[in-house]
Amino acid sequence: MNGNLQLQHFILNEQKKFPYAKGDFTLLILDIALAGKIISSEVNKAGLIEILGLTGKENIQGEQVQKLDEFSNSTLVNILSRNETVGGCASEEMADAVLFEKHTKAKYCVIFDPLDGSSNIDVNVSIGTIFSIYKLSNEGECSEKDFLKKGEEQVAAGYIIYGSSTMLVLTTGEGVHGFTLDPSLGEFLLSHPDIKYPEPPKRYYSVNEGNFKYWDKNVKKYVDHLKNNEKPFSLRYIGSLVSDFHRNLIYGGIFFYPLDYKNPEKPKGKLRLMYEANPLALISKNAGGLASDGKNDILSLKPEELHQRVPLYIGAKSFVEEALAFLNSEEK
Ligand code: AHG
Ligand code: MN
Ligand code: MN
């Protein structure tokens, strides 16, 4: 076996740096990693088993639920429901949080997007799981309030990307670390210690330009700037947030999903604050990047409801700051 450190050894070795990596926190991370291994195995044989396609059901977002969405969600809920340190969990695929009342010594709750990039499942494009971990306000008494904390209160966040390899990217307060699954061992091995956005970052931008006509004028000016400057950017858009985010983290770049005025009376963002924007914003910040809703730091937003949506600008700090300058310019 090569010399890479296994996930459990890395966390235990780094115990002093991970304020929450006491035994039970380490086991929680390992449970999420186990769910990732199970989901990865299904994703990697999708097409051979009856797991592609739609369930015929709609989720709370009014979106079609894919079989793999449902499988990923139930895998995470089942595994977390057996971990007594978890007081409850919430998911893109469930209207309300699930509380594990019997876990009277619980210390954490977990919020997740069980499968991000669902529209790409049936066409074999990378997808992922995104998760966020908070400490309960009162140990052993998990309540709905625990699922509406600001992103800056996360004790850990990460994602598992099911791509050319399966990789767990994790931050628990200090640094961002990548662990690649060795399927022959069934172990996540440290492959990307201390990930930071590269300096200078590659000039990639990731946005669905098909929505151009629904954006406000400053966003249009920003995108025109990206394409008409002395060093043009390259457009890379996969349509799985976790994959677009990961490429920009490793190479550099900016991902954005602007406020869109499809409904002029009620402009809104598409991405969800609690299980897409917040966890990725913590990773981005701890890798030297920045995440904003176009005005405020994502991590500072006080959530009103579990499935609320936000505009999202996330990636290399200098690129996000340039975007914000365009977005907030008063020029008429
Ligand atoms: P999910 O599959 O969890 O619903 O998330 C899909 C999101 C995100 O992954 C991606 O960036 C975005 O939807 C793509 O939206 P468009 O297809 O509108 O570009
Ligand atoms: Mn998603
Ligand atoms: Mn999803």
Side-chain angles (χ1 to χ4, degrees), residues 11 14-29 85 107-108 133-136 152-156 171-174:
I11 295 186
E14 298 276 302
Q15 184 112 14
K16 53 189 175 309
K17 278 195 206 165
F18 295 158
Y20 294 95
K22 308 283 176 292
D24 50 16
F25 182 80
T26 303
L27 285 177
L28 171 51
I29 297 293
T85 196
K107 291 184 186 165
Y108 306 102
I133 302 175
Y134 290 87
K135 274 206 93 174
L136 299 181
E152 61 202 15
E153 296 185 59
Q154 293 172 95
V155 295
T171 187
T172 66
E174 262 215 18

Side-chain angles (χ1 to χ4, degrees), residues 19-79:
Y20 294 95
K22 308 283 176 292
D24 50 16
F25 182 80
T26 303
L27 285 177
L28 171 51
I29 297 293
L30 294 178
D31 271 347
I32 293 173
L34 172 62
K37 292 178 198 174
I38 294 169
I39 296 167
S40 173
S41 159
E42 290 300 293
V43 165
N44 289 322
K45 60 189 175 197
L48 296 176
I49 53 172
E50 263 309 290
I51 195 117
L52 288 179
L54 298 171
T55 57
K57 295 175 203 157
E58 258 194 14
N59 63 12
I60 176 78
Q61 335 272 342
E63 291 162 347
Q64 289 296 313
V65 179
Q66 303 264 7
K67 289 178 190 164
L68 259 177
D69 284 325
E70 202 161 68
F71 173 82
S72 307
N73 188 64
S74 53
T75 298
L76 279 155
V77 175
N78 293 338
I79 289 176

Side-chain angles (χ1 to χ4, degrees), residues 59 61 63 69 91-93 112-119 128-130 272 275-276:
N59 63 12
Q61 335 272 342
E63 291 162 347
D69 284 325
S91 162
E92 173 193 4
E93 302 303 338
F112 49 82
D113 177 352
L115 208 66
D116 172 71
S118 308
S119 60
T129 297
I130 310 173
R272 278 56 60 106
Y275 39 83
E276 289 174 321

Side-chain angles (χ1 to χ4, degrees), residues 299-314:
L299 295 171
S300 68
L301 301 178
K302 176 67 188 100
E304 301 305 322
E305 63 99 19
L306 183 60
H307 299 288
Q308 81 183 61
R309 295 170 187 265
V310 287
L312 179 62
Y313 295 77
I314 188 167

Side-chain angles (χ1 to χ4, degrees), residues 115-298:
L115 208 66
D116 172 71
S118 308
S119 60
N120 282 322
I121 291 173
D122 291 1
V123 290
N124 219 357
V125 170
S126 297
I127 46 185
T129 297
I130 310 173
F131 62 90
S132 175
I133 302 175
Y134 290 87
K135 274 206 93 174
L136 299 181
S137 301
N138 305 306
E139 271 194 29
E141 292 163 27
C142 185
S143 76
E144 304 294 339
K145 287 197 316 301
D146 287 304
F147 296 92
L148 292 175
K149 293 182 176 172
K150 291 182 179 179
E152 61 202 15
E153 296 185 59
Q154 293 172 95
V155 295
Y159 56 87
I160 300 159
I161 181 167
Y162 312 107
S164 43
S165 64
T166 292
M167 194 168 153
L168 167 67
V169 176
L170 172 70
T171 187
T172 66
E174 262 215 18
V176 175
H177 308 282
F179 303 83
T180 298
L181 181 65
D182 177 336
S184 65
L185 299 173
E187 291 288 358
F188 279 105
L189 303 177
L190 181 65
S191 53
H192 296 67
D194 205 16
I195 302 174
K196 295 281 180 219
Y197 283 95
E199 196 49 54
K202 274 197 191 304
R203 298 167 79 78
Y204 283 140
Y205 74 104
S206 311
V207 69
N208 180 347
E209 290 219 26
N211 294 327
F212 191 86
K213 70 178 184 183
Y214 300 122
W215 297 335
D216 86 16
K217 65 176 176 16
N218 283 345
V219 176
K220 293 179 178 175
K221 273 192 198 150
Y222 171 57
V223 172
D224 287 339
H225 160 75
L226 292 177
K227 295 195 274 193
N228 306 301
N229 69 41
E230 67 294 345
K231 287 193 287 178
F233 279 61
S234 295
L235 175 60
R236 291 281 186 283
Y237 193 71
I238 299 171
S240 298
L241 168 61
V242 69
S243 307
D244 281 314
F245 174 85
H246 185 69
R247 182 204 49 256
N248 291 347
L249 175 66
I250 301 299
Y251 284 162
I254 179 170
F255 170 96
F256 50 110
Y257 207 105
L259 195 66
D260 78 40
Y261 288 75
K262 280 183 187 133
N263 173 352
E265 277 72 56
K266 247 186 106 205
K268 66 180 177 60
K270 170 174 185 177
L271 299 171
R272 278 56 60 106
L273 174 60
M274 296 313 289
Y275 39 83
E276 289 174 321
N278 267 335
L280 297 183
L282 186 67
I283 290 175
S284 184
K285 178 181 170 219
N286 290 345
L290 179 61
S292 170
D293 65 356
K295 292 209 173 329
N296 307 297
D297 187 320
I298 288 286

